[in-house]
Amino acid sequence: MMNSLEIHVSCSGTDAATGRMGRPYLTIQRAVSALKDSMRPTKSAHIIVHGGTYYQSQPISISAGDLNNGQTSLTISAARNETVILKGSTRLEPHWVPYTGQVVKTELPAGTHFDQLFVNGNPQILARYPNYDGAARVYHGTASDAISPARVAKWSDPAGGYLHALHVAEWGCVDYRISGKDAKGELVLEGGWQNNRPMGMHREYRFVEGIKEELDSPGEWYLDQAQHTLYYWPMPGIDLKSSIYEGAVQKSLFEIHGSATHPVRGLTLKGLKLTQTARTFMLTQEPLLRSDWRIYRGGVVHLLGAENCRIIDCDILNVGSNALFIDGYCRQVTVSGCHIADAGASGICAVGNPNAVRNGLDNYDQRQSLRSISLERGPKGNEYPADCTVKDCLIERVGGIEKQSAGIEISMAFRIHVDHCTIHDVPRSGINIGDGCWGGHVIENCDVFDTVKETGDHGSFNSWGRDRYWGLEDVASSAPGYAQLPFLDAVEPVTLRRNRWRCDHGWDIDLDDGSSNYIIESNLCLAGGLKNREGYRRIVENNIIVNNSFHPHVWFAESGDIFRKNIVFEPYKPIEVPKPWGAQVDFNLLHQPGGHPSVKADRLHALSGRDLNSAAGDARFVAPELGDFRVQRGSPALRLGFRNFAMDKFGVTSARLKKIAPKPRFGAAPHGNTTDISPILHDWLGCTVRSVYGLGEMSVLGLPAEVGVLLAEVPPNSTASEYRLLRQDVILSLQGQPVASAEDFLSQWAKYKVGQKVNVTVWRSQRKIQRLFSVR
């Protein structure tokens, strides 16, 4: 076996050449196949790709067989100091002629189809309503009348267009392909399967694209596929004759596919720029256990059945799907030094196969029993990513079209290490862990901010733990031994340490439904606070929660949670947490700026039933206006056991990425997490009702908006109880009329006469139920 082999690829080469320096191949795929064709297998091979733009007519496929079943390690890299661009688009050769107004048109070869148009490398706007608005918070512009009868009537043939909308509760999005119009003139839609909590689309946050009649603004385009004609309103300054036109056609650029028994081993991609791939939102259909997610198992780089593979110093920019997908059986995959920006879906996904999960369920509403589940710990197979690393990566502006997305998504995986990454400007979470299978992840030294920008009820970091223990039908959470069930799946703790988080539209750290076995230490939370919903064994220690506080929500009585040696800026914001809280809540400091002397934290003690040693006083930060929240000598936090941690080590470390990575803001921002308002209580039919307040209660109740009347107490002998109403029910509407608040509800109810039948919509356990009341 030869020790090494060097193969060259060039835009001026030919696949009939030898691949040597003077006779390079034209394509990377031909260079890969040369490894198998070689009469003398090598221990290592290096495919050197010389500068230029390479249009991929199909993904570059690499299998275990191409690498002599693990005997050959392969590096595919850009030649030194040369720029290599791989594109999933096809070059267009338009011959523009006037159409109408500023719009021009050109015929294209029959069969041409693409859903992203690039002009001189810049993405253009598929004809849409409402028009693109760079300042709009959601989808760059939405309108409640996007599919109104009056607007649909203007469209001669909308088939092939798309309707995009946020989920009704702003938990991600739903997308539809328009098949046409029916005999009534209404749209025929296909899709809506992208969200794993199906509840319909948002009434306001929606837009349509790919409709010819909506081509009415500079930068917009429309492709009539049947007539193979492209229409375009050029942006100002565009020279129609000299510009370069490209249409995205390929979903993937690298498909690195092996198996657990025959993995692709020892592959490195280095220094490549990958861009201009097709959108995949209509392929986002597979549910991820009981999380809110559905997913498309693919990406611009898709690794399946891989070991000891590396993606180093690559740029993945302006792509239509997930940028990088680590799928199923993968071990020791490393992604480092990469820049990922402007992706249609997520940045990096590490997602296992459900067949490796014991008693995994697909959907939120599914339930099972203790007697039916396995009590064996951990996975039942090996089809999941483990011991993989993402480090020194800049991930920004992902989730362009798919709003249930993340900078980094982890699901059904084990021991994923995320280190020194900067993630910002995303519609939902920066980092999401979709389940407790199987923990061991370490997330450290990251800078995650400007998150949850287009959705709601989420965090810069978000997790769920809706694992086999969660919501069992035949056992109560207070039953002996129940507290050990979460660790059947969450076998090792997830650690978040020395990160900086900022979420102005949710929580900085959001441990949602059932999340268990977490160690959260030495994090700087800048805006949204830290939330622990029901779950077990969360150790939260030595964190700084700026301009906010700790949000414990609906804890199990035997949670075993610990919250100690933290600095909070506001009193805790609990919802439905039995006192005393957890295993230990103590030695915390309630920061009171202005040089206030340290005193006992009576307000914290009154809330938690613990905090006997906690204090209130000025933390004496070094320079908070500059983001330096270390405390000075003499700070009461130090006396409580708090330890300073570095404030200048967050985020990317390589010089090329540090140069372009932004930093978060350090000033205060309004947030909707307040839950310490004293609500006005009202009597109604022998029970106590009040309005719903704040994002915290919306999250606990799973409400799509801050609306309705909450039944705070329902005595068993009350008329409300006879109506089969329960404590924590929320009445959303009467006779189809929405209820905005408790006062609105009482005003509506007073109009009904005794004996009148009233249809009531009730929100219970995050779903609507209908009741018919006879007024008494």
PDB file of all heavy atoms in Angstrom, residues 82-111:
ATOM      1  N   GLU A  82      -5.998  29.784  -2.440  1.00  0.00           N
ATOM      2  CA  GLU A  82      -6.919  29.827  -3.559  1.00  0.00           C
ATOM      3  C   GLU A  82      -8.349  29.658  -3.041  1.00  0.00           C
ATOM      4  O   GLU A  82      -8.581  28.956  -2.054  1.00  0.00           O
ATOM      5  CB  GLU A  82      -6.587  28.743  -4.591  1.00  0.00           C
ATOM      6  CG  GLU A  82      -5.208  28.923  -5.219  1.00  0.00           C
ATOM      7  CD  GLU A  82      -4.921  27.901  -6.303  1.00  0.00           C
ATOM      8  OE1 GLU A  82      -5.875  27.481  -6.997  1.00  0.00           O
ATOM      9  OE2 GLU A  82      -3.740  27.514  -6.456  1.00  0.00           O
ATOM     10  N   THR A  83      -9.284  30.319  -3.696  1.00  0.00           N
ATOM     11  CA  THR A  83     -10.690  30.289  -3.280  1.00  0.00           C
ATOM     12  C   THR A  83     -11.453  29.300  -4.133  1.00  0.00           C
ATOM     13  O   THR A  83     -11.500  29.430  -5.362  1.00  0.00           O
ATOM     14  CB  THR A  83     -11.322  31.686  -3.403  1.00  0.00           C
ATOM     15  OG1 THR A  83     -10.608  32.600  -2.562  1.00  0.00           O
ATOM     16  CG2 THR A  83     -12.783  31.645  -2.978  1.00  0.00           C
ATOM     17  N   VAL A  84     -12.051  28.326  -3.459  1.00  0.00           N
ATOM     18  CA  VAL A  84     -12.820  27.287  -4.139  1.00  0.00           C
ATOM     19  C   VAL A  84     -14.283  27.430  -3.737  1.00  0.00           C
ATOM     20  O   VAL A  84     -14.609  27.400  -2.551  1.00  0.00           O
ATOM     21  CB  VAL A  84     -12.302  25.885  -3.779  1.00  0.00           C
ATOM     22  CG1 VAL A  84     -13.211  24.808  -4.346  1.00  0.00           C
ATOM     23  CG2 VAL A  84     -10.874  25.708  -4.287  1.00  0.00           C
ATOM     24  N   ILE A  85     -15.167  27.602  -4.716  1.00  0.00           N
ATOM     25  CA  ILE A  85     -16.596  27.771  -4.468  1.00  0.00           C
ATOM     26  C   ILE A  85     -17.343  26.633  -5.135  1.00  0.00           C
ATOM     27  O   ILE A  85     -17.245  26.443  -6.356  1.00  0.00           O
ATOM     28  CB  ILE A  85     -17.096  29.121  -5.006  1.00  0.00           C
ATOM     29  CG1 ILE A  85     -16.279  30.272  -4.393  1.00  0.00           C
ATOM     30  CG2 ILE A  85     -18.581  29.292  -4.702  1.00  0.00           C
ATOM     31  CD1 ILE A  85     -16.617  31.628  -4.988  1.00  0.00           C
ATOM     32  N   LEU A  86     -18.083  25.876  -4.340  1.00  0.00           N
ATOM     33  CA  LEU A  86     -18.949  24.822  -4.862  1.00  0.00           C
ATOM     34  C   LEU A  86     -20.376  25.312  -4.786  1.00  0.00           C
ATOM     35  O   LEU A  86     -20.839  25.751  -3.724  1.00  0.00           O
ATOM     36  CB  LEU A  86     -18.793  23.541  -4.051  1.00  0.00           C
ATOM     37  CG  LEU A  86     -17.650  22.578  -4.425  1.00  0.00           C
ATOM     38  CD1 LEU A  86     -16.293  23.260  -4.295  1.00  0.00           C
ATOM     39  CD2 LEU A  86     -17.698  21.345  -3.548  1.00  0.00           C
ATOM     40  N   LYS A  87     -21.086  25.240  -5.920  1.00  0.00           N
ATOM     41  CA  LYS A  87     -22.439  25.767  -5.981  1.00  0.00           C
ATOM     42  C   LYS A  87     -23.437  24.679  -6.347  1.00  0.00           C
ATOM     43  O   LYS A  87     -23.162  23.836  -7.205  1.00  0.00           O
ATOM     44  CB  LYS A  87     -22.520  26.908  -6.999  1.00  0.00           C
ATOM     45  CG  LYS A  87     -21.748  28.158  -6.592  1.00  0.00           C
ATOM     46  CD  LYS A  87     -21.981  29.305  -7.561  1.00  0.00           C
ATOM     47  CE  LYS A  87     -21.295  30.582  -7.073  1.00  0.00           C
ATOM     48  NZ  LYS A  87     -21.552  31.732  -7.965  1.00  0.00           N
ATOM     49  N   GLY A  88     -24.594  24.755  -5.702  1.00  0.00           N
ATOM     50  CA  GLY A  88     -25.684  23.846  -6.035  1.00  0.00           C
ATOM     51  C   GLY A  88     -26.629  24.445  -7.053  1.00  0.00           C
ATOM     52  O   GLY A  88     -27.757  23.988  -7.199  1.00  0.00           O
ATOM     53  N   SER A  89     -26.171  25.458  -7.758  1.00  0.00           N
ATOM     54  CA  SER A  89     -26.994  26.153  -8.738  1.00  0.00           C
ATOM     55  C   SER A  89     -26.547  25.811 -10.154  1.00  0.00           C
ATOM     56  O   SER A  89     -25.500  25.183 -10.364  1.00  0.00           O
ATOM     57  CB  SER A  89     -26.898  27.668  -8.522  1.00  0.00           C
ATOM     58  OG  SER A  89     -25.536  28.097  -8.606  1.00  0.00           O
ATOM     59  N   THR A  90     -27.348  26.243 -11.087  1.00  0.00           N
ATOM     60  CA  THR A  90     -27.000  26.118 -12.501  1.00  0.00           C
ATOM     61  C   THR A  90     -26.896  27.512 -13.095  1.00  0.00           C
ATOM     62  O   THR A  90     -27.633  28.418 -12.710  1.00  0.00           O
ATOM     63  CB  THR A  90     -28.050  25.275 -13.258  1.00  0.00           C
ATOM     64  OG1 THR A  90     -27.616  25.063 -14.593  1.00  0.00           O
ATOM     65  CG2 THR A  90     -29.408  25.957 -13.276  1.00  0.00           C
ATOM     66  N   ARG A  91     -25.968  27.666 -13.998  1.00  0.00           N
ATOM     67  CA  ARG A  91     -25.771  28.970 -14.644  1.00  0.00           C
ATOM     68  C   ARG A  91     -26.863  29.189 -15.703  1.00  0.00           C
ATOM     69  O   ARG A  91     -27.121  28.311 -16.536  1.00  0.00           O
ATOM     70  CB  ARG A  91     -24.386  29.018 -15.282  1.00  0.00           C
ATOM     71  CG  ARG A  91     -23.999  30.335 -15.924  1.00  0.00           C
ATOM     72  CD  ARG A  91     -23.611  31.384 -14.892  1.00  0.00           C
ATOM     73  NE  ARG A  91     -23.167  32.607 -15.574  1.00  0.00           N
ATOM     74  CZ  ARG A  91     -21.892  32.893 -15.842  1.00  0.00           C
ATOM     75  NH1 ARG A  91     -20.933  32.045 -15.482  1.00  0.00           N
ATOM     76  NH2 ARG A  91     -21.569  34.004 -16.445  1.00  0.00           N
ATOM     77  N   LEU A  92     -27.511  30.329 -15.652  1.00  0.00           N
ATOM     78  CA  LEU A  92     -28.559  30.668 -16.611  1.00  0.00           C
ATOM     79  C   LEU A  92     -28.001  31.611 -17.671  1.00  0.00           C
ATOM     80  O   LEU A  92     -27.125  32.436 -17.385  1.00  0.00           O
ATOM     81  CB  LEU A  92     -29.738  31.334 -15.892  1.00  0.00           C
ATOM     82  CG  LEU A  92     -30.346  30.571 -14.708  1.00  0.00           C
ATOM     83  CD1 LEU A  92     -31.408  31.428 -14.027  1.00  0.00           C
ATOM     84  CD2 LEU A  92     -30.931  29.245 -15.155  1.00  0.00           C
ATOM     85  N   GLU A  93     -28.518  31.503 -18.881  1.00  0.00           N
ATOM     86  CA  GLU A  93     -28.087  32.363 -19.983  1.00  0.00           C
ATOM     87  C   GLU A  93     -29.315  33.066 -20.548  1.00  0.00           C
ATOM     88  O   GLU A  93     -29.812  32.734 -21.624  1.00  0.00           O
ATOM     89  CB  GLU A  93     -27.384  31.535 -21.063  1.00  0.00           C
ATOM     90  CG  GLU A  93     -26.145  30.793 -20.590  1.00  0.00           C
ATOM     91  CD  GLU A  93     -25.019  31.725 -20.159  1.00  0.00           C
ATOM     92  OE1 GLU A  93     -25.040  32.913 -20.559  1.00  0.00           O
ATOM     93  OE2 GLU A  93     -24.121  31.258 -19.426  1.00  0.00           O
ATOM     94  N   PRO A  94     -29.821  34.075 -19.840  1.00  0.00           N
ATOM     95  CA  PRO A  94     -31.056  34.727 -20.289  1.00  0.00           C
ATOM     96  C   PRO A  94     -30.831  35.666 -21.480  1.00  0.00           C
ATOM     97  O   PRO A  94     -29.741  36.221 -21.652  1.00  0.00           O
ATOM     98  CB  PRO A  94     -31.495  35.508 -19.049  1.00  0.00           C
ATOM     99  CG  PRO A  94     -30.212  35.819 -18.340  1.00  0.00           C
ATOM    100  CD  PRO A  94     -29.319  34.638 -18.575  1.00  0.00           C
ATOM    101  N   HIS A  95     -31.861  35.831 -22.253  1.00  0.00           N
ATOM    102  CA  HIS A  95     -31.895  36.819 -23.332  1.00  0.00           C
ATOM    103  C   HIS A  95     -33.115  37.694 -23.065  1.00  0.00           C
ATOM    104  O   HIS A  95     -34.229  37.413 -23.536  1.00  0.00           O
ATOM    105  CB  HIS A  95     -31.975  36.125 -24.692  1.00  0.00           C
ATOM    106  CG  HIS A  95     -30.817  35.225 -24.972  1.00  0.00           C
ATOM    107  ND1 HIS A  95     -29.574  35.691 -25.342  1.00  0.00           N
ATOM    108  CD2 HIS A  95     -30.706  33.873 -24.892  1.00  0.00           C
ATOM    109  CE1 HIS A  95     -28.739  34.672 -25.506  1.00  0.00           C
ATOM    110  NE2 HIS A  95     -29.405  33.553 -25.226  1.00  0.00           N
ATOM    111  N   TRP A  96     -32.891  38.733 -22.290  1.00  0.00           N
ATOM    112  CA  TRP A  96     -33.988  39.537 -21.779  1.00  0.00           C
ATOM    113  C   TRP A  96     -34.664  40.354 -22.866  1.00  0.00           C
ATOM    114  O   TRP A  96     -34.004  40.944 -23.736  1.00  0.00           O
ATOM    115  CB  TRP A  96     -33.493  40.483 -20.693  1.00  0.00           C
ATOM    116  CG  TRP A  96     -32.883  39.819 -19.497  1.00  0.00           C
ATOM    117  CD1 TRP A  96     -31.579  39.846 -19.117  1.00  0.00           C
ATOM    118  CD2 TRP A  96     -33.569  39.040 -18.512  1.00  0.00           C
ATOM    119  NE1 TRP A  96     -31.390  39.138 -17.960  1.00  0.00           N
ATOM    120  CE2 TRP A  96     -32.603  38.618 -17.557  1.00  0.00           C
ATOM    121  CE3 TRP A  96     -34.887  38.643 -18.341  1.00  0.00           C
ATOM    122  CZ2 TRP A  96     -32.908  37.841 -16.462  1.00  0.00           C
ATOM    123  CZ3 TRP A  96     -35.205  37.864 -17.239  1.00  0.00           C
ATOM    124  CH2 TRP A  96     -34.236  37.470 -16.325  1.00  0.00           C
ATOM    125  N   VAL A  97     -35.985  40.409 -22.780  1.00  0.00           N
ATOM    126  CA  VAL A  97     -36.777  41.302 -23.628  1.00  0.00           C
ATOM    127  C   VAL A  97     -37.797  41.990 -22.722  1.00  0.00           C
ATOM    128  O   VAL A  97     -38.155  41.472 -21.668  1.00  0.00           O
ATOM    129  CB  VAL A  97     -37.506  40.526 -24.763  1.00  0.00           C
ATOM    130  CG1 VAL A  97     -36.501  39.879 -25.695  1.00  0.00           C
ATOM    131  CG2 VAL A  97     -38.471  39.490 -24.186  1.00  0.00           C
ATOM    132  N   PRO A  98     -38.270  43.172 -23.093  1.00  0.00           N
ATOM    133  CA  PRO A  98     -39.242  43.874 -22.250  1.00  0.00           C
ATOM    134  C   PRO A  98     -40.533  43.065 -22.117  1.00  0.00           C
ATOM    135  O   PRO A  98     -40.960  42.384 -23.045  1.00  0.00           O
ATOM    136  CB  PRO A  98     -39.487  45.183 -22.995  1.00  0.00           C
ATOM    137  CG  PRO A  98     -38.280  45.367 -23.853  1.00  0.00           C
ATOM    138  CD  PRO A  98     -37.847  43.993 -24.253  1.00  0.00           C
ATOM    139  N   TYR A  99     -41.138  43.159 -20.922  1.00  0.00           N
ATOM    140  CA  TYR A  99     -42.435  42.514 -20.701  1.00  0.00           C
ATOM    141  C   TYR A  99     -43.491  43.577 -20.411  1.00  0.00           C
ATOM    142  O   TYR A  99     -44.342  43.860 -21.237  1.00  0.00           O
ATOM    143  CB  TYR A  99     -42.324  41.496 -19.574  1.00  0.00           C
ATOM    144  CG  TYR A  99     -43.646  40.860 -19.199  1.00  0.00           C
ATOM    145  CD1 TYR A  99     -44.383  40.134 -20.131  1.00  0.00           C
ATOM    146  CD2 TYR A  99     -44.181  41.007 -17.925  1.00  0.00           C
ATOM    147  CE1 TYR A  99     -45.609  39.570 -19.808  1.00  0.00           C
ATOM    148  CE2 TYR A  99     -45.402  40.447 -17.579  1.00  0.00           C
ATOM    149  CZ  TYR A  99     -46.113  39.733 -18.520  1.00  0.00           C
ATOM    150  OH  TYR A  99     -47.326  39.180 -18.199  1.00  0.00           O
ATOM    151  N   THR A 100     -43.438  44.166 -19.240  1.00  0.00           N
ATOM    152  CA  THR A 100     -44.344  45.255 -18.909  1.00  0.00           C
ATOM    153  C   THR A 100     -43.715  46.118 -17.828  1.00  0.00           C
ATOM    154  O   THR A 100     -43.117  45.591 -16.872  1.00  0.00           O
ATOM    155  CB  THR A 100     -45.712  44.727 -18.426  1.00  0.00           C
ATOM    156  OG1 THR A 100     -46.561  45.832 -18.109  1.00  0.00           O
ATOM    157  CG2 THR A 100     -45.573  43.859 -17.190  1.00  0.00           C
ATOM    158  N   GLY A 101     -43.801  47.430 -17.979  1.00  0.00           N
ATOM    159  CA  GLY A 101     -43.201  48.319 -17.000  1.00  0.00           C
ATOM    160  C   GLY A 101     -41.704  48.060 -16.884  1.00  0.00           C
ATOM    161  O   GLY A 101     -40.970  48.040 -17.869  1.00  0.00           O
ATOM    162  N   GLN A 102     -41.254  47.838 -15.637  1.00  0.00           N
ATOM    163  CA  GLN A 102     -39.840  47.559 -15.376  1.00  0.00           C
ATOM    164  C   GLN A 102     -39.493  46.083 -15.483  1.00  0.00           C
ATOM    165  O   GLN A 102     -38.328  45.702 -15.328  1.00  0.00           O
ATOM    166  CB  GLN A 102     -39.478  48.055 -13.972  1.00  0.00           C
ATOM    167  CG  GLN A 102     -39.692  49.538 -13.742  1.00  0.00           C
ATOM    168  CD  GLN A 102     -38.780  50.375 -14.608  1.00  0.00           C
ATOM    169  OE1 GLN A 102     -37.581  50.100 -14.723  1.00  0.00           O
ATOM    170  NE2 GLN A 102     -39.340  51.402 -15.236  1.00  0.00           N
ATOM    171  N   VAL A 103     -40.490  45.246 -15.734  1.00  0.00           N
ATOM    172  CA  VAL A 103     -40.278  43.795 -15.750  1.00  0.00           C
ATOM    173  C   VAL A 103     -39.819  43.349 -17.138  1.00  0.00           C
ATOM    174  O   VAL A 103     -40.370  43.768 -18.160  1.00  0.00           O
ATOM    175  CB  VAL A 103     -41.563  43.048 -15.350  1.00  0.00           C
ATOM    176  CG1 VAL A 103     -41.349  41.535 -15.401  1.00  0.00           C
ATOM    177  CG2 VAL A 103     -42.007  43.479 -13.953  1.00  0.00           C
ATOM    178  N   VAL A 104     -38.783  42.475 -17.115  1.00  0.00           N
ATOM    179  CA  VAL A 104     -38.299  41.858 -18.340  1.00  0.00           C
ATOM    180  C   VAL A 104     -38.534  40.357 -18.250  1.00  0.00           C
ATOM    181  O   VAL A 104     -38.825  39.821 -17.175  1.00  0.00           O
ATOM    182  CB  VAL A 104     -36.799  42.162 -18.566  1.00  0.00           C
ATOM    183  CG1 VAL A 104     -36.578  43.645 -18.810  1.00  0.00           C
ATOM    184  CG2 VAL A 104     -35.960  41.681 -17.374  1.00  0.00           C
ATOM    185  N   LYS A 105     -38.413  39.675 -19.402  1.00  0.00           N
ATOM    186  CA  LYS A 105     -38.611  38.235 -19.398  1.00  0.00           C
ATOM    187  C   LYS A 105     -37.628  37.576 -20.348  1.00  0.00           C
ATOM    188  O   LYS A 105     -37.050  38.216 -21.224  1.00  0.00           O
ATOM    189  CB  LYS A 105     -40.041  37.879 -19.790  1.00  0.00           C
ATOM    190  CG  LYS A 105     -40.385  38.156 -21.254  1.00  0.00           C
ATOM    191  CD  LYS A 105     -41.784  37.676 -21.589  1.00  0.00           C
ATOM    192  CE  LYS A 105     -42.099  37.878 -23.078  1.00  0.00           C
ATOM    193  NZ  LYS A 105     -43.444  37.344 -23.434  1.00  0.00           N
ATOM    194  N   THR A 106     -37.453  36.268 -20.151  1.00  0.00           N
ATOM    195  CA  THR A 106     -36.601  35.489 -21.041  1.00  0.00           C
ATOM    196  C   THR A 106     -37.101  34.057 -21.064  1.00  0.00           C
ATOM    197  O   THR A 106     -37.612  33.553 -20.052  1.00  0.00           O
ATOM    198  CB  THR A 106     -35.131  35.524 -20.596  1.00  0.00           C
ATOM    199  OG1 THR A 106     -34.339  34.785 -21.524  1.00  0.00           O
ATOM    200  CG2 THR A 106     -34.953  34.898 -19.211  1.00  0.00           C
ATOM    201  N   GLU A 107     -36.943  33.400 -22.198  1.00  0.00           N
ATOM    202  CA  GLU A 107     -37.229  31.974 -22.273  1.00  0.00           C
ATOM    203  C   GLU A 107     -36.013  31.201 -21.787  1.00  0.00           C
ATOM    204  O   GLU A 107     -34.866  31.608 -21.990  1.00  0.00           O
ATOM    205  CB  GLU A 107     -37.575  31.569 -23.711  1.00  0.00           C
ATOM    206  CG  GLU A 107     -38.929  32.045 -24.160  1.00  0.00           C
ATOM    207  CD  GLU A 107     -39.352  31.391 -25.475  1.00  0.00           C
ATOM    208  OE1 GLU A 107     -38.739  30.370 -25.864  1.00  0.00           O
ATOM    209  OE2 GLU A 107     -40.303  31.904 -26.087  1.00  0.00           O
ATOM    210  N   LEU A 108     -36.258  30.069 -21.137  1.00  0.00           N
ATOM    211  CA  LEU A 108     -35.215  29.180 -20.642  1.00  0.00           C
ATOM    212  C   LEU A 108     -35.439  27.801 -21.247  1.00  0.00           C
ATOM    213  O   LEU A 108     -36.537  27.494 -21.736  1.00  0.00           O
ATOM    214  CB  LEU A 108     -35.254  29.110 -19.113  1.00  0.00           C
ATOM    215  CG  LEU A 108     -34.981  30.418 -18.361  1.00  0.00           C
ATOM    216  CD1 LEU A 108     -35.201  30.218 -16.867  1.00  0.00           C
ATOM    217  CD2 LEU A 108     -33.574  30.942 -18.623  1.00  0.00           C
ATOM    218  N   PRO A 109     -34.448  26.937 -21.201  1.00  0.00           N
ATOM    219  CA  PRO A 109     -34.641  25.576 -21.725  1.00  0.00           C
ATOM    220  C   PRO A 109     -35.802  24.876 -21.016  1.00  0.00           C
ATOM    221  O   PRO A 109     -36.026  25.049 -19.816  1.00  0.00           O
ATOM    222  CB  PRO A 109     -33.308  24.890 -21.424  1.00  0.00           C
ATOM    223  CG  PRO A 109     -32.322  26.012 -21.366  1.00  0.00           C
ATOM    224  CD  PRO A 109     -33.060  27.172 -20.772  1.00  0.00           C
ATOM    225  N   ALA A 110     -36.560  24.096 -21.748  1.00  0.00           N
ATOM    226  CA  ALA A 110     -37.665  23.340 -21.169  1.00  0.00           C
ATOM    227  C   ALA A 110     -37.166  22.469 -20.032  1.00  0.00           C
ATOM    228  O   ALA A 110     -36.089  21.883 -20.095  1.00  0.00           O
ATOM    229  CB  ALA A 110     -38.332  22.487 -22.239  1.00  0.00           C
ATOM    230  N   GLY A 111     -37.962  22.379 -18.968  1.00  0.00           N
ATOM    231  CA  GLY A 111     -37.586  21.571 -17.807  1.00  0.00           C
ATOM    232  C   GLY A 111     -36.804  22.326 -16.760  1.00  0.00           C
ATOM    233  O   GLY A 111     -36.505  21.783 -15.691  1.00  0.00           O
TER     234      GLY A 111
END
